[in-house]
Amino acid sequence: MYKLQVDLERIAKDTHGYVGADLAALCTEAALQCIREKMDVIDLEDESIDAEILNSMAVSNEHFQTALGTSNPSALRETVSILPVSLSFLSSFSFLLG
């Protein structure tokens, strides 16, 4: 039987401000981290990956922590707004220019 190697409560605490798409991207990046670790034993020329290699792969807390370091939650991203300013408003500050 498969044993979960990820602390979901910790991930929930570490992902404040994440929306569904952010969580999906985080999971994808964590899985890619796991795959990257095994790239030296995967033969890219083969059409399939050996079952022993696949069975040895499991996403861990470390994979998620690495993925968290490269992600930004959408809900907490800084936004910039540009407001139109009339020239008459700017002329009221002409005393600052001398």
Side-chain angles (χ1 to χ4, degrees), residues 14 18 26 29 33 62-72:
D14 290 343
Y18 282 61
L26 178 71
E29 183 57 33
Q33 289 294 328
E62 290 76 26
H63 297 127
F64 273 99
Q65 291 306 310
T66 302
L68 280 165
T70 63
S71 65
N72 294 317

Side-chain angles (χ1 to χ4, degrees), residues 7-50:
D7 183 354
L8 295 178
E9 287 186 28
R10 179 178 176 190
I11 292 171
K13 290 176 184 175
D14 290 343
T15 54
H16 171 73
Y18 282 61
V19 297
D22 298 331
L23 293 171
L26 178 71
C27 292
T28 299
E29 183 57 33
L32 289 171
Q33 289 294 328
C34 181
I35 292 168
R36 287 181 191 114
E37 286 181 357
K38 298 290 185 179
M39 287 304 294
D40 58 335
V41 294
I42 295 174
D43 185 359
L44 297 177
E45 301 296 321
D46 285 347
E47 290 186 18
S48 62
I49 299 173
D50 185 39

